[in-house]
Amino acid sequence: MPVNESFDVIVIGAGPSGAVAASILVQKGWKVLVIEKEEFPRFSIGESLLPQCMQFIEEANMLDAVQSQAEALGFQYKDGAAFYRNGEHSNFDFSKKFSSGAGTTFQVKRANFDKLLADRTKELGADVRYKHEVTAVDFNDAAAIVSVKNEAGTSQFLAKFILDASGYGRVLPRLLSLELPSTLSDRRAVFCHLEDGICDESYDRDKILITVHPEMDDIWYWLIPFSDGTVSFGVVGDVKYFDESQTNEAVFDHFLAQEPYLAKLLSKAKKTTPVRSLQGYSSDVTQLYGDRFALLGNAGEFLDPVFSSGVTIAMYSASLAANLLDKQLLGEDVSWQEEYADNLKAGVDVFKHFVMSWYDTELQNVIFFQKDDNDVKAMICSILAGYAWDQENPYVNKTERRSAALVDICQESDENQ
């Protein structure tokens, strides 16, 4: 089959990581093609951004677009995270974090947000093509050959390098047999959007609310408000807790009714989207890069939605890969292992430790112990805000040891009360 066109870089996927990577590269003068299987806008979860994301949005020259259209698109200002468990409240104000950098961000409907970023990528000069599906990838000494199918038929494109930003689609891991089972438990999420009708004056719309199930502490709920009076609401737990014989809507209603605080808060809520479910979303791979490719964000490893780390990891990986690839294309020597894989993994491992200790309840106890402002709370707050690569933070630099010591302190305090 003849090659249709040639590019410096082909990016698979037009979501946040693909848009950020493509925008950085095209502004550095490279010819970039973005291939997206879906038509935008399209529904997606991962709606509560972390402040660390703002650095990469700004780097990609997208910040003005996001800020200027935030109100029109229903983006909700976000300044922290709130937690609730059996009558206990614990709030984290991101402006009081340990790390430098942005302390606020937005909670976004991903359909609008992703389209905004993709549109901006196109404005900056990238070639973005929707409803195009990558069906095969081959490599030779000079280039990567990407086979793409759309309504008009099949085409082939050449590129010096491929960035896989396909998210849950995990295009290159599937095509190149790179997939590994995740070390995390198999969990299910059931979720939808609601017209919330919340009239409780104590409810803070500027924060994501994470609520622990009153009886099973490894089940939790997210409540993500938007500025138009709607929310994203979902429940997450081990697959063993979900009745496969029930519809998604029945499961959703069942779990909402089990948490009295949320049931009261959302007593006037009405569903505005179908109830959806997602299962087996955690993933891992044998390698994050090869001679002519690198995996970004969820295409490489996805952990769990509990701390909203997905988009942050995706954008961090996009920035790392795009800047490293720019050097490589200019003829500089680079180390994808040290400068990309090891760098990215350092922060992912911090998030992973937090996820695992959340489900074994150790981190839950720490979070609900931290009621007053102090240095430790500021350091934990930084990680919750996405600054998982800040080596100045002791809970990043020595995550397991510091976390274990903190758990012991909290337990001793509880025993002495």
Side-chain angles (χ1 to χ4, degrees), residues 16-17 20 46 48-57 78 94 105-106 110 113 296-298 301-302 307-320 344 347-348 351 382-389:
S17 62
V20 167
S48 192
L49 305 182
L50 301 183
Q52 170 78 90
C53 291
M54 305 307 285
Q55 172 187 332
F56 310 118
I57 291 172
K78 176 185 175 183
F94 290 157
T105 185
F106 294 101
R110 285 285 302 277
F113 180 72
L296 309 184
N298 296 353
E301 182 172 8
F302 180 72
F307 298 118
S308 306
S309 62
V311 176
T312 300
I313 292 172
M315 288 187 172
Y316 187 92
S317 68
S319 173
L320 272 184
L344 181 60
V348 171
F351 281 127
S382 283
I383 297 171
L384 296 178
Y387 294 92
W389 291 269

Side-chain angles (χ1 to χ4, degrees), residues 382-397:
S382 283
I383 297 171
L384 296 178
Y387 294 92
W389 291 269
D390 178 11
Q391 290 296 314
E392 298 298 315
N393 185 344
Y395 288 88
V396 170
N397 194 303

